[in-house]
Amino acid sequence: MKSKRAIRRTVIGAAFLAACGASGLASAVYEIEPNASIGTAQHLVVGSAGSVEVTGVLGNPTGSVVADVDFYV
């Protein structure tokens, strides 16, 4: 069973991805590690539509809970 924290993270991630895709075309990039601090934040280029889409995984592919935070700039 997922913890409340994992569920909240999933909901926040889904809302973020929905907001990015709602504006039409988005510039798509893959998440690159390390990006777990402000100092290592992944740089994103916003597309002409004013949005960007990040392809990544919330948690990990096995479904186990991980303590991972990702920063983007």
Side-chain angles (χ1 to χ4, degrees):
M1 180 171 196
K2 287 188 176 183
S3 70
K4 288 182 183 181
R5 186 175 188 180
I7 292 170
R8 181 177 16 192
R9 184 175 172 164
T10 301
V11 170
I12 291 170
F16 174 76
L17 292 175
C20 288
S23 63
L25 295 176
S27 175
V29 297
Y30 287 95
E31 175 192 6
I32 300 172
E33 296 288 352
N35 61 347
S37 71
I38 292 175
T40 60
Q42 182 177 344
H43 292 269
L44 301 177
V45 177
V46 178
S48 61
S51 62
V52 64
E53 177 181 322
V54 177
T55 302
V57 175
L58 295 172
N60 65 37
T62 64
S64 61
V65 177
V66 294
D68 182 31
V69 176
D70 300 319
F71 287 85
Y72 301 92
V73 63

